[in-house]
Amino acid sequence: EGINVNFVEIAETGLLIGTYERGVEGETLACGTGVTAAALAYQEATQKSLPKIEVQAKGGVMQVKSKKNAVGYEQIWLCGPSIRVYSGTFPL
């Protein structure tokens, strides 16, 4: 019925990511879950424990901050700007 897919490329400054989301059935500007998962998967694949990973999505640059512990990761934060992209009213 559809699938969420993130295409990730390793760059000099961090990760580049493109997101295709089900429901939209097309490319979106970003996916917070996908960005976070990609950053943690990168750390696992490269065996690097980094305090911050920069991720560039079509919607902008974000950082994933985390701490590796004995069984995984903790204190995981997705950081980036927040902007209003739409405003409207709903008639009652």
Side-chain angles (χ1 to χ4, degrees), residues 52-88:
K52 178 177 74 172
I53 297 175
E54 188 170 285
V55 183
Q56 171 71 53
K58 288 198 178 227
V61 178
M62 293 164 270
Q63 297 84 36
V64 177
K65 298 177 181 180
S66 64
K67 289 187 179 182
K68 187 164 177 60
N69 61 31
V71 295
Y73 296 87
E74 61 187 3
Q75 298 183 29
I76 301 167
W77 290 84
L78 176 61
C79 306
S82 174
I83 60 170
R84 182 187 306 228
V85 295
Y86 181 79
S87 179

Side-chain angles (χ1 to χ4, degrees), residues 10 39-50 53:
I10 299 170
L40 297 181
Y42 170 74
Q43 289 188 91
E44 283 297 303
T46 60
Q47 293 298 300
K48 294 180 180 179
S49 182
L50 303 170
I53 297 175

